[in-house]
């Protein structure tokens, strides 16, 4: 089936059995495409291909007439067991930034990776006011970014990965490349013509906006790191072992130039067709004014490694490198700048004479913004910086989600995880679980002065935060918000309750037949008076009178129970060795045996089913009749889950973390929309 609009054609490929699964609507000179089946939108310049994937995080795409791509098609994916779920990974923390580039203060891109040595790539965009997530989970690591215009940009990475945008990042398309060599640098002479360089002397060129990339012969076998594209005919390339290459015939031949050094050359910036600067290992600075016939060193500036160099509109240079090194060249002299950091700086871009960005490659979420004219540099946070993520909590408004982490920080996203803002931070506490009702937010954890009991609860309403410390002799790992005034928290062998919005906290008396060494992990409230708690050794406690009495419940297991969730007609409990228990108000049912994984959390909803997460990337869904294991692609432990919505409007938020495998957490999202 095909859909036609002026200037574009959309082709639907695959078996579609129901009408209304794809819609196209006009929007100005372009169009908006929506599809209700799982699939991947592809784009090509010609109907015969090649077809390339568009990276989207929803089932909607805006077709921009300004792009050179003309043909679009939808490749239908096999349906997941739930019949509507697509999987997207929203990466919250942290990112190790590799490079930054742009065209002006309102169009700046950064690329980085979720881990210093491995992980996946991330692209963020600065519009002059805020950083926005454009590619939260690239199909590989990313090493460099280059923008030719406010609309056109490229990013390159490992295994021959090249992504491009022709609409300011509204969509990023993966481009076909010859070979799988890692690519370290890219530069463009126009919106159509660019070179990419990488491992083993790899040198690629496109003359059609990346629809096709062709390998060129570099004549070297060393790693190439950077390219300065001067025109359709001329370009410079630099790399390991003092390598400098130049072409003046479009890359038909590359001529080696004499650098006078065997050190690693990391970056090059051109001031004209004949003048350029190169930076590199051990403070290397090289300068030519005769198109590279002679490269003159500038010794004695620093012994630190330079990693990147940029120029502003007036021709002044800024070079950055290891241990927070920043040098500025003005009036013919290189001058040191005070960066205020000791982390290695790997990327730099001058958006204007007084506006320069620098990224750090060995410090998570490290980003500087400075004014070299004033020798003024400050940290510019573009995302929260957690070392551990403890909990995630979705709202009935599908766009809103909160997360808590270490150290003591609560963050919120109002756009389904694309961007995040810090709501509150208290560095001396750890917040383990979060709950909301109306405009009230509560978080439980531990910390504070060493002389006080560690149990802590934070309360926020109307942007006012109140800290309740010293509440229990153990940490508080679970919280249940029954109403704006009735809140319950558990940890160790303690249960506490506030009936008045935190003005007073009342310790609860647990049954005497419960071992004193019990550890209560979680609590859930069916109402302000009907509350449940679970813990080690199969312990289940319940009060139906607002905490005056607590009664032990028959769990029929001695395994640890980690989480409890209540929906209107029943409650669900999960725990050790695949333990899954259900209580419908009359009868207990044991689903244990469906999986042997350690189950960490459960989120039961009336409309979207029962969701369970656990070790080794386990994600289970109970639809009222059957249990289904959903593919997550994760080997790490899934720690928390929060499901909201109904039908084709479901968001399932998951925290993925395992300090033994990868010390940095992810926020994952199953999205059915």
């Amino acid at each position: 089936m095909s859909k036609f609009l002026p200037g574009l054609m959309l082709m639907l490929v695959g078996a579609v059995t129901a009408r209304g699964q794809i819609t196209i609507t006009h929007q100005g000179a372009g169009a908006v495409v929506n599809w209700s089946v799982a699939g991947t939108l592809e784009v090509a310049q010609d109907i015969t291909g090649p077809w390339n994937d568009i990276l989207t995080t929803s089932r909607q795409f805006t077709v921009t007439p300004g792009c050179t791509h003309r043909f679009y098609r939808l490749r239908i994916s096999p349906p997941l067991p739930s019949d509507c779920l697509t999987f997207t990974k929203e990466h919250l923390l942290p990112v190790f930034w590799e490079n930054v580039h742009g065209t002006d203060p309102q169009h700046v891109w950064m690329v980085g990776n979720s881990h210093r040595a491995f992980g996946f790539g991330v692209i963020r965009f600065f519009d002059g006011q805020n950083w926005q997530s454009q590619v939260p989970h690239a199909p590989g690591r990313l090493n460099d970014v280059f923008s030719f215009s406010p609309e056109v940009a490229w990013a390159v990475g490992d295994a021959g990965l090249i992504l491009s945008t022709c609409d300011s990042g509204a969509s990023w398309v993966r481009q076909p490349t010859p070979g799988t060599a890692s690519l370290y640098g890219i530069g463009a002479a126009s919106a159509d013509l660019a070179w990419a360089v990488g491992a083993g002397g790899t040198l690629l060129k496109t003359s059609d906006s990346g629809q096709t990339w062709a390998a060129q012969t570099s004549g070297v076998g060393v790693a190439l790191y950077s390219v300065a594209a001067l025109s359709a005919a001329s370009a410079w390339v630099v790399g390991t072992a003092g390598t400098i290459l130049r072409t003046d015939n479009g890359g038909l031949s590359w001529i080696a130039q004499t650098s006078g050094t065997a050190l690693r050359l990391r970056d090059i910036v051109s001031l004209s067709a004949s003048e350029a600067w190169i930076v590199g290992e051990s403070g290397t600075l090289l300068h030519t004014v005769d198109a590279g016939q002679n490269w003159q060193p500038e010794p004695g500036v620093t012994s630190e490694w330079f990693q990147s160099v940029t120029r502003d509109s007036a021709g002044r240079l800024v070079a950055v490198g290891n241990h927070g090194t920043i040098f500025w060249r003005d009036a013919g002299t290189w001058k040191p700048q005070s960066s205020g950091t000791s982390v290695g700086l790997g990327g730099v871009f001058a958006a204007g004479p007084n506006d320069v960005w620098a990224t750090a490659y060995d410090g998570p979420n490290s980003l500087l913004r400075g004014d070299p004219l004033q020798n003024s540099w400050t940290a510019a946070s573009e995302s929260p910086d957690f070392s551990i993520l403890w909990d995630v909590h979705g709202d009935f408004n599908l766009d809103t989600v909160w997360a808590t982490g270490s150290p003591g920080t609560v963050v919120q996203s109002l756009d389904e995880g694309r961007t995040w803002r810090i709501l509150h931070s208290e560095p001396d506490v750890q917040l383990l679980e979060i709950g909301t009702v109306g405009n009230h937010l509560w978080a439980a954890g531990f910390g504070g002065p060493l002389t006080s009991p560690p149990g802590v609860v934070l309360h926020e309403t109307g942007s006012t935060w109140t800290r309740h410390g010293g509440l229990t002799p153990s940490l508080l790992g679970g919280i249940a918000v029954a109403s704006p005034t009735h809140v319950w928290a558990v940890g160790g062998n303690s249960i506490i309750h506030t009936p008045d919005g935190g003005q007073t906290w009342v310790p609860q008396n647990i049954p005497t037949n419960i071992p004193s060494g019990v550890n209560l992990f979680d609590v859930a409230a069916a109402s302000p008076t009907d509350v449940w708690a679970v813990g080690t050794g199969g312990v289940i406690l319940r009060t139906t009178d607002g905490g005056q009495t607590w009664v032990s419940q028959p769990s029929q297991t001695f395994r640890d129970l980690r989480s409890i969730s209540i929906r209107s007609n029943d409650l669900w409990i999960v725990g050790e060795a695949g333990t899954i228990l259900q209580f419908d108000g009359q009868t207990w049912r044991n689903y244990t045996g469906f999986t042997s994984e350690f189950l960490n959390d459960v989120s039961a909803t009336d409309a979207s089913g029962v969701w369970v997460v656990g070790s080794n990337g386990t994600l289970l869904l109970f639809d009222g009749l059957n249990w289904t294991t959903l593919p997550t692609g994760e080997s790490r432990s899934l720690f928390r889950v929060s499901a909201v919505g109904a039908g084709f409007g479901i968001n399932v938020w998951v925290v993925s973390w395992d300090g033994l495998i990868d010390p940095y957490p992810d926020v994952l999202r199953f999205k059915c929309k």
Side-chain angles (χ1 to χ4, degrees):
M1 185 180 83
S2 300
K3 298 280 187 178
F4 292 91
L5 286 175
L8 64 93
M9 182 175 78
L10 178 80
M11 302 177 60
L12 184 62
V13 179
V16 180
T17 58
R19 293 184 179 181
Q21 291 179 322
I22 185 166
T23 61
I24 305 174
T25 56
H26 286 278
Q27 180 173 290
V32 178
V33 182
N34 291 274
W35 58 98
S36 60
V37 292
T40 301
L41 196 63
E42 298 178 319
V43 64
Q45 196 171 17
D46 187 86
I47 194 171
T48 60
W51 292 91
N52 303 312
D53 291 352
I54 295 178
L55 303 184
T56 61
T57 57
S58 67
R59 296 182 184 179
Q60 183 182 88
F61 175 70
T62 301
V63 179
T64 304
C67 291
T68 58
H69 314 113
R70 183 166 181 264
F71 297 92
Y72 297 80
R73 71 181 183 185
L74 185 67
R75 186 179 71 248
I76 306 300
S77 302
L80 291 173
S82 59
D83 198 37
C84 71
L85 287 176
T86 57
F87 180 66
T88 59
K89 179 180 288 186
E90 300 291 349
H91 185 71
L92 175 58
L93 333 149
V95 177
F96 293 82
W97 296 113
E98 295 290 342
N99 219 328
V100 57
H101 197 262
T103 57
D104 55 70
Q106 288 76 43
H107 296 86
V108 182
W109 283 271
M110 285 195 304
V111 296
N113 298 290
S114 61
H115 191 277
R116 186 69 190 97
F118 46 92
F120 54 83
V122 176
I123 302 178
R124 298 224 172 104
F125 173 72
F126 186 72
D127 62 4
Q129 298 293 326
N130 300 294
W131 285 99
Q132 306 166 10
S133 174
Q134 289 192 339
V135 178
H137 190 215
R141 289 179 56 81
L142 295 173
N143 300 316
D144 194 21
V145 62
F146 184 91
S147 59
F148 175 78
S149 71
E151 296 78 30
V152 177
W154 280 276
V156 298
D158 289 358
L161 178 62
I162 299 182
L163 306 177
S164 73
T165 180
C166 59
D167 51 18
S168 300
S171 63
W172 284 85
V173 178
R174 183 169 188 172
Q175 299 187 333
T177 57
T180 59
S182 292
L183 301 175
Y184 303 134
I186 186 166
S190 71
D192 298 320
L193 190 143
W195 279 278
V197 297
T202 298
L203 214 165
L204 308 178
K205 179 186 178 182
T206 181
S207 299
D208 55 11
S209 302
Q211 291 298 307
T212 58
W213 286 86
Q216 294 190 330
T217 301
S218 67
V220 298
V222 300
L224 302 176
Y225 293 116
S226 179
V227 55
L230 309 175
S231 66
S234 300
W236 268 300
V237 169
V238 299
T240 299
T243 299
I244 305 175
L245 306 176
R246 172 143 176 162
T247 183
D248 287 299
N249 57 12
L252 296 177
S253 60
W254 288 86
I255 307 302
Q257 297 186 337
T258 301
S259 66
T261 181
L263 296 176
R264 186 177 306 177
L265 305 180
R266 291 289 298 172
D267 199 14
I268 181 171
V269 62
S270 62
L271 279 69
S272 68
S274 58
E275 184 177 8
W277 283 86
I278 294 173
V279 299
E281 181 180 356
S282 301
T284 298
L285 288 166
L286 302 176
H287 182 212
T288 183
V289 293
D290 55 11
Q293 296 182 47
N294 296 280
W295 286 93
Q296 300 297 327
E298 189 143 343
V301 173
T302 181
S303 61
E304 295 287 353
W305 282 34
F306 283 122
Q307 300 288 350
S308 187
V309 61
T310 189
R311 56 164 293 181
D312 66 17
S313 56
R316 292 175 292 239
L317 303 178
V318 179
V320 300
N322 293 3
H323 303 114
T325 297
I326 301 178
F327 275 82
W328 181 51
R329 187 178 189 273
D330 183 36
T333 304
W334 287 95
K335 304 170 185 177
Q337 300 257 298
S338 177
S339 68
T341 183
S342 60
V343 299
L345 302 176
V348 64
F349 166 68
N354 306 85
D355 188 10
V356 180
W357 295 91
T359 58
Y361 58 85
D362 63 357
N365 295 327
S366 295
L367 177 66
L368 299 180
R369 192 176 190 181
D371 177 359
L373 293 172
Q374 302 297 323
N375 191 11
S376 173
W377 295 84
T378 58
S381 175
E382 51 72 44
S383 67
D385 184 6
F386 291 151
S387 57
I388 299 175
L389 189 63
W390 291 115
D391 193 22
V392 64
H393 180 77
D395 191 14
F396 290 106
N397 174 353
L398 286 175
D399 295 335
T400 305
V401 62
W402 293 268
T404 61
S406 169
T409 303
V410 180
V411 297
Q412 181 191 53
S413 173
L414 300 175
D415 54 9
E416 296 187 302
R418 293 178 180 86
T419 59
W420 298 80
R421 64 188 182 108
I422 297 175
L423 293 182
H424 188 68
S425 183
E426 299 199 13
D428 63 335
V429 301
Q430 304 280 347
L431 301 175
L432 304 182
E433 190 167 54
I434 190 171
T436 62
V437 60
N439 66 342
H440 292 263
L441 182 149
W442 297 80
F446 66 97
L450 297 177
T451 56
S452 300
V456 169
V457 173
L458 296 185
H459 177 212
E460 183 266 342
T461 180
S463 73
T464 299
W465 289 82
T466 303
R467 175 167 167 171
H468 307 275
L471 298 177
T472 58
S474 58
L475 62 84
L476 295 171
I479 193 165
V481 185
S483 73
T485 55
H486 286 272
V487 180
W488 304 79
V490 300
N493 61 358
S494 299
I495 305 175
I496 58 174
H497 169 228
T498 177
D500 50 21
Q503 296 183 45
T504 59
W505 290 90
V506 182
Q508 306 289 290
N509 295 316
I510 64 175
T512 57
N513 63 332
I514 300 299
S516 60
V518 69
N519 190 4
L520 299 175
F521 292 120
D522 201 14
V523 59
S527 72
T529 57
D530 188 2
V531 184
W532 298 71
V534 297
T536 53
V539 167
I540 304 176
L541 303 177
R542 183 185 188 186
T543 180
T544 56
D545 55 14
Q548 296 183 44
T549 58
W550 285 85
V551 179
S552 178
Q553 306 293 304
S555 67
Q556 301 178 350
T557 183
F558 292 101
R559 290 172 173 153
D560 291 351
L561 304 177
R562 296 303 299 261
S563 178
I564 182 171
S565 182
I566 298 176
R567 61 181 184 180
S568 57
N569 297 320
D570 52 12
L571 68 84
W572 293 83
I573 299 171
V574 300
E576 182 184 8
T579 299
I580 304 175
L581 306 176
Q582 179 195 16
F583 182 64
D584 62 7
Q586 300 292 328
T587 306
W588 285 94
R589 183 173 182 181
N590 192 332
Y591 289 95
T592 303
F594 180 77
T595 179
S596 61
E597 298 291 349
F598 197 110
L599 302 178
N600 294 314
D601 199 18
V602 57
S603 178
T605 69
D606 289 320
S608 59
V610 179
W611 299 81
V612 177
V613 294
S615 57
N616 294 312
T618 299
L619 177 61
L620 309 177
L621 169 62
F622 183 71
D623 60 9
L625 295 175
N626 303 297
W627 284 97
T628 302
T629 300
L630 298 177
T632 64
E634 282 285 313
S635 59
R636 303 190 297 178
S637 179
L638 304 185
F639 193 64
R640 294 290 194 188
V641 61
S642 179
V644 295
F648 280 91
I650 299 173
N651 270 340
V652 182
W653 296 93
V654 177
V655 172
S656 170
W657 178 70
D658 191 332
L660 296 178
I661 299 176
D662 183 351
Y664 303 111
D666 279 341
V667 171
L668 317 181
R669 181 181 62 167
F670 267 97
K671 182 177 176 63
C672 174
K673 193 174 181 179

